């Protein structure tokens, strides 16, 4: 899986191996099926959103709206 993901977090592209234990095996909490490898931040974000894509989409729109409203660069 590390090779398939080019040794990077599936979501943000963080390169694994910078810190010991920085690779997290993400899984669906309902089915227990492994989805991929994530960094701690991305794994935690999904967990805090309770694996709910609607919450993650709404959070993304919330942050994007703030960036657009305040003319901030991404």
């Amino acid at each position: 899986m590390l090779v398939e993901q080019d040794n990077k977090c599936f979501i943000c592209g963080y390169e694994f191996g910078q810190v010991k234990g920085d690779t997290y095996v993400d899984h669906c909490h309902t089915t227990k099926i492994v989805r991929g490898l994530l960094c701690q931040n991305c794994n935690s974000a999904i967990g805090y959103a309770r694996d709910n894509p609607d919450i993650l989409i709404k959070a993304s729109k919330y942050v994007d709206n703030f960036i657009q409203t305040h003319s901030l660069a991404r």
Side-chain angles (χ1 to χ4, degrees), residues 34-71:
V34 172
R35 294 185 284 219
L37 301 174
L38 302 177
C39 69
Q40 181 179 8
N41 288 338
C42 291
N43 191 53
S44 295
I46 289 175
Y48 287 129
R50 298 178 301 277
D51 286 354
N52 184 329
D54 293 330
I55 292 173
L56 294 166
I57 290 167
K58 192 170 183 179
S60 175
K61 289 179 181 178
Y62 171 79
V63 172
D64 189 53
N65 182 59
F66 181 85
I67 290 169
Q68 296 298 323
T69 308
H70 292 81
S71 300

Side-chain angles (χ1 to χ4, degrees), residues 1-10 16 36-38:
M1 199 174 286
L2 271 173
V3 172
E4 289 176 11
Q5 290 185 211
D6 196 27
N7 200 44
K8 295 177 183 173
C9 173
F10 190 86
F16 297 126
L37 301 174
L38 302 177

Side-chain angles (χ1 to χ4, degrees), residues 20-34:
K20 185 176 180 178
D22 63 358
T23 308
Y24 290 75
V25 179
D26 178 53
H27 67 282
C28 172
H29 290 99
T30 304
T31 65
K32 308 298 185 217
I33 296 172
V34 172

